[in-house]
Every structure is written in C-alpha cells, then in structure tokens.
Amino acid sequence: MNLLSLFDLEISDLDEILQNAIALKATPLDWNRPPKYAGSVMGLLFEKSSLRTRVSFEAAIAHFGGSAIFLGQEAGWGKRETIADFGRVLSQYLDVLVFRGKDHTQLVELAGHCSCPVINGLTDIYHPCQALADILTIRENTTDLDRPIRVAYVGDCNNVSRSLAICCAMMGIELRIGCPEGYQFSPDFAAGLSSKIPNATLPEITSDPKAAVENADAVYTDVWTSMGQEKEEKQRRNDFASFQVNAELMSLASPNASFLHCLPAKRGVEVTDEVLDGPQSAVVQQAGNRMHAQKAVLDFLLTKATVA
Ligand code: CP
Ligand code: NVA
C-alpha cells in the first residue's frame, strides 16, 4: 500500500493514523525496548528543496530503529534511466520510499514499479503528510469539540490546500477557502471529493477572504507561489494582494483561533510578521507535528507491508 494522496486511505485508516500520531507524540522514546522497525531502510528521493519533510522523516525512522538514505540530484532521477528501471531497482534495497517531485504523474508511475510502500513527500498536486500534521495541530488547539471544527484557508488552491481539503472532507471538518477567481480548485477535484469520500464535508469556496475567516477556529495560509511556479510570481503577488493574513483579517476569526502555515513562509507577503510570530501562531507546533504524523504513517504502512 502507498500514500500518494489521502484518497489512498479509508476514513478508518485516517482515524487510526491520527490516533497513533497522538499516542506516539505522548510516548517518550525508550531505548531499553527493542525498536519496532530495527534495520528498516527508508529512501528519500527529493527533486525539490526541503527542510521539514526530509528531517522529520529521517528522525521518524531513526526513532523506530531504522535508517534513511537521502537521494538528491546525483541519483540521476529523470536523467540516467527510465522511471520503471529506477523504481524496480531502488525498491529492492528499501522498506519504504518517500518521493518529493515536480510532477505527480511521475510519482504514480514510480509507485507502480516499486515493490515497497511509497509515500508522497510533496508533489505539484498533493502534500498528504502536511495535511495530517495540520489536522493534528488544529485538533490540539481547538477547545470546543461539541461542534464541527471550522477551518479557513486563505490563499492558493495548491498542493497543500488540496490535501487539507481531502483531510477535512474525510474528518467532517468545515473548510472555507478564500481564494481569488482563477486560482480555485478545478471542478474535477471538487467532484472527486464527493465521489471518492462517503458523506464528504465539501469545502466552501469564496473570493472574499473576510467571509472565509469569519468565526474560524484556525486560519491557514501557504505561499502564493509554490516551488516550480517562480515565473508567475509577479502576477501572483498582484492577484493575491488582498489575501494577506494580517492582524485585521485574523481579528475576524474566532478570538481563540490559531494561525497555521506549512512553512517556509514569505514574510510580509502572504502573512505578516505580526501574525506569524504572534500569540495565535501555531506554526512551530505544526512543523513539530510533521514528525509525529509521519511516524504514524510509517507505522501504518510498514505494518501493512509486513502482514502482506
Ligand atoms: N512544509 C514543508 O513541506 O516544508 P519543507 O518544504 O521544508 O519540507
Ligand atoms: N505549496 C508549497 C508548499 C511548500 C511546503 C510548494 O509546493 O512550494
């Protein structure tokens, strides 16, 4: 089994992973007991830069007694051999592979040729591991659990918000997205949510950022220009100018609302320093939760691979 997008999981799988992430976070490391995945080897094949994803995965496998091999440019991905040859060979050495790539279709092709589980560590379309940490953080910071949690995402309908939307649809979390016309989810993606997820809680999309954040329990943003879109940066800064998360916008959310950002942030662009460094900001906790969520993903996939 792979985690290429959150559509690969049943709602019960997602529940299990989140519950396990909470338990793993609460359990101190105990080296007096044999580690659960001693000797397991994780490969990390990364075409794009990363701090959080790479290091949190490397730490996660180390905590389980395994080790990681980072494969950067020198591995020759996309240059020396076909995706099929790459996947068939590489996966023989590994127990699990994390891929960060420019093109989601290449991830799907790669996974089709791998004999070990493959995890999406970010593509142009999805960032599933980020969404797991996001939901963990939102749950940790929401006190009123007698009603559905309300999340506002203000910004680009990109890999991060697409995965957030799938996770919210599966978990019954209300998601309001404030995004300029022309940058919103494709009709195909919206249709996929309802067809692939039973009783999906569908996101509400508006081009008014103020309407999106009203009474939200969490306000989330990401960069307006993702990796690979650098040529569009000038146009995007113009088109998203009224979508900055600043103190004025935050004041429309619930008074206890937390602020989230997957990081890295472009300070002073999609979010002000005042909000990012302010008392409502949960971004450091959110980044820390990447490791706990990914430990639970590894545990889930490695257990399934052993049983299979
Ligand atoms: N949020 C995130 O994926 O960070 P990195 O790009 O540093 O891995
Ligand atoms: N949307 C951003 C997320 C980075 C973690 C990007 O793809 O560059």
Side-chain angles (χ1 to χ4, degrees):
M1 182 177 175
N2 301 314
L3 180 61
L4 307 188
S5 85
L6 292 167
F7 287 131
D8 290 338
L9 300 176
E10 302 292 334
I11 292 175
S12 56
D13 298 335
L14 182 56
D15 260 327
E16 184 184 326
I17 289 170
L18 290 171
Q19 286 310 320
N20 194 20
I22 294 166
L24 287 163
K25 184 172 179 176
T27 311
L29 292 175
D30 177 3
W31 294 108
N32 291 317
R33 280 192 292 176
K36 193 163 181 185
Y37 298 109
S40 288
V41 182
M42 176 173 67
L44 294 138
L45 176 61
F46 278 37
E47 270 192 302
K48 290 178 173 178
S49 304
S50 172
L51 172 68
R52 281 143 287 268
T53 308
R54 174 184 176 175
V55 181
S56 55
F57 263 116
E58 291 199 13
I61 196 75
H63 290 176
F64 280 137
S67 57
I69 301 171
F70 184 77
L71 298 154
Q73 304 264 327
E74 74 290 347
W77 168 256
K79 293 199 178 82
R80 297 182 69 219
E81 52 199 313
T82 63
I83 291 178
D85 287 348
F86 204 105
R88 279 194 293 246
V89 171
L90 180 62
S91 59
Q92 291 184 98
Y93 314 134
L94 303 175
D95 297 284
V96 59
L97 173 64
V98 184
F99 176 81
R100 168 168 286 206
K102 295 176 185 160
D103 179 351
H104 189 78
T105 60
Q106 293 194 338
L107 167 66
V108 174
E109 187 181 344
L110 174 68
H113 294 285
C114 284
S115 53
C116 70
V118 179
I119 299 173
N120 180 350
L122 180 146
T123 62
D124 53 333
I125 307 292
Y126 297 119
H127 197 1
C129 297
Q130 180 67 53
L132 296 173
D134 300 342
I135 297 301
L136 212 54
T137 312
I138 290 166
R139 282 187 170 178
E140 284 174 341
N141 291 320
T142 309
T143 41
D144 185 356
L145 295 172
D146 294 334
R147 56 164 177 79
I149 298 174
R150 293 186 286 249
V151 176
Y153 177 93
V154 180
D156 190 21
C157 283
N158 59 11
N159 44 8
V160 166
S161 50
R162 229 174 257 120
S163 292
L164 182 71
I166 302 172
C167 216
C168 288
M170 292 172 83
M171 303 308 297
I173 293 174
E174 290 175 10
L175 177 64
R176 239 178 288 145
I177 297 190
C179 178
E181 309 266 353
Y183 293 94
Q184 299 176 351
F185 290 137
S186 70
D188 280 0
F189 175 71
L193 285 177
S194 19
S195 69
K196 291 180 187 147
I197 303 169
N199 308 313
T201 309
L202 295 175
E204 233 179 83
I205 312 225
T206 166
S207 52
D208 176 2
K210 291 184 178 154
V213 300
E214 208 182 328
N215 293 323
D217 300 303
V219 177
Y220 195 149
T221 191
D222 181 16
V223 289
W224 295 337
T225 306
S226 285
M227 290 182 276
Q229 297 174 328
E230 290 76 8
K231 284 191 185 137
E232 299 169 29
E233 181 153 16
K234 201 167 163 223
Q235 181 67 49
R236 284 174 168 267
R237 279 208 189 199
N238 202 38
D239 296 344
F240 282 90
S242 58
F243 287 77
Q244 184 188 65
V245 179
N246 49 36
E248 192 193 338
L249 195 68
M250 275 307 283
S251 73
L252 302 173
S254 150
N256 299 323
S258 48
F259 169 73
L260 285 96
H261 192 306
C262 58
L263 301 179
K266 281 259 168 43
R267 287 171 173 264
V269 181
E270 75 273 6
V271 58
T272 57
D273 285 346
E274 190 183 5
V275 170
L276 197 61
D277 301 327
Q280 287 169 281
S281 178
V283 299
V284 175
Q285 173 191 0
Q286 182 186 5
N289 279 336
R290 293 293 305 277
M291 185 180 72
H292 306 296
Q294 287 155 205
K295 279 169 94 166
V297 169
L298 289 174
D299 198 12
F300 181 80
L301 293 177
L302 291 172
T303 302
K304 282 228 180 309
T306 314
V307 171

